[in-house]
Amino acid sequence: MGLGRMVHGRVAALALVGVLAASCASMTDRADKDLTSGPKTLTADEIRTILAGKSWRFQGPNNTGVTLYAEDGSSLVEVDGKGRTKGRWTTKDGQLCESFDPAPPWLPGGVPMSCYSFSPGTTPGTYQAGKAVFSLAT
């Protein structure tokens, strides 16, 4: 075997090692990234920080209005065209949980504690809470 063939063979082998190393690094990069296409799951503390002490306008399939989420877990809700009620709220990872006191005639039995998904909305500064969209009340 001539010197030219040996040098050419070693260069080819080194090139192959380089290609394999690059492809392994690329696979590691992809494995480290979150490839899910869904919204980020917020922790209970993140949701609490977002909501607590602020009034949020909600727009759902059946109602619109404003909810004040107090730091102590109480809430005051005003539903457009219907009236006001008080409630309680808490958070779980990825969820907002709320209950509402009776408010005759539009909410005669109240609503027991119910939890639904809570995630960043499609527009900056908004959040999706179940079927409702939340934005800071002005």
Side-chain angles (χ1 to χ4, degrees):
M1 181 181 258
L3 183 60
R5 280 190 167 176
M6 284 180 28
V7 170
H8 180 68
R10 286 187 182 167
V11 169
L14 288 174
L16 179 59
V17 168
V19 168
L20 290 174
S23 85
C24 286
S26 175
M27 290 185 338
T28 301
D29 288 346
R30 282 181 282 197
D32 290 342
K33 293 179 184 170
D34 182 8
L35 297 178
T36 60
S37 60
K40 176 186 182 269
T41 299
L42 298 170
T43 67
D45 286 341
E46 287 174 322
I47 296 169
R48 176 168 274 289
T49 299
I50 290 164
L51 296 176
K54 301 177 191 95
S55 291
W56 289 88
R57 173 154 282 288
F58 62 87
Q59 190 165 9
N62 300 316
N63 294 302
T64 60
V66 175
T67 302
L68 168 62
Y69 292 94
E71 297 274 353
D72 67 359
S74 64
S75 62
L76 179 60
V77 183
E78 184 165 354
V79 179
D80 295 340
K82 294 186 179 177
R84 292 182 183 175
T85 189
K86 294 178 183 177
R88 301 288 308 159
W89 70 283
T90 189
T91 59
K92 296 179 181 180
D93 286 350
Q95 295 186 319
L96 170 62
C97 304
E98 298 183 283
S99 65
F100 304 104
D101 294 345
W106 62 276
L107 193 62
V111 176
M113 188 63 76
S114 303
C115 300
Y116 37 87
S117 63
F118 188 92
S119 60
T122 56
T123 305
T126 66
Y127 295 89
Q128 187 75 36
K131 294 181 181 179
V133 175
F134 281 30
S135 58
L136 268 176
T138 54

